[in-house]
Amino acid sequence: MALRDILMVTDLSGEQQAVKYGIELAARCDAHATGLALSYEPVVPAFAAAPVPVDFIEQSRQHALAAAQKSLETFNELARLGGVKSEGRLAEVITGGPMEPVLRHCRLTDLIVVGQDNPDQPEPMRELLIETALFESGVPVLIIPYIGAPAPKFENVLVAWDGSSTATRAVQAALPILALAKKVTVLIINKGSKMAGEPGADMATYLARHGLNVTVDVITNTQTTVAETLLNYVSDNGKDLVVMGGYGHSRVREFLFGGATRDILAAMTVPVLMAH
């Protein structure tokens, strides 16, 4: 299935790296681009020492709406320059509250594009937004490094493969993008366990049947963590996109990334497409 609808979460500040990447991808796929700006409503403490003035609350809300609207204006201009069909949307979210207003927009699209949180210009609830989109939307999520990424040419794509259902879901969700790739490498990181048969051969066959140029690489007995090994491989081999499963578990409605997933998202240098 081709990409026909791409949703991009705008940033409230900075260079809009995720929007820029998403619009270029939409142009390449002839997809509709939707920009989603989030306005974060202030939280009123239930037991404040003194009542919070209503004017202050409304002023804070209007300031948040103005910031979101400004980011939408930037999205609209970038979409116009990119020559893609587009629309802008705005969702109001209570700071620290449920993300359902966002999920309503995320569930009916082919791909969600969102920027990695920038430590120098942090976005409100960005990590929670990524986690919620990944685990609750049912839609693959493409995370763009806050430092930006070159235009999506997909010269050399990496698939992180461990044989799990989560990794399988990520590969299947990524097929429309993998179809654009000139080369796909299936990487298996084996921390010392015994592997039956030829590692990665089944996934390579599956991708080859989709007309992809596939190679398999296996790293064994590495002394670094899975995340460090993967990130080093990406850097050393000039990969421009990583496809991998997003791992985590729920705890009282809170979704938490697994260690390797969190480490990769914290230190990523190229776009990472995840599905759960």
Side-chain angles (χ1 to χ4, degrees), residues 5 14 19 85 115 148 161 172:
D5 189 278
V19 167
K85 304 178 290 293
W161 180 241
Q172 292 175 335

Side-chain angles (χ1 to χ4, degrees), residues 92-103 125 128 132 253:
E92 292 191 65
V93 182
I94 298 175
T95 302
M99 300 295 287
E100 188 60 33
V102 179
L103 287 171
M125 300 169 62
L128 177 61
T132 303
R253 296 178 60 191

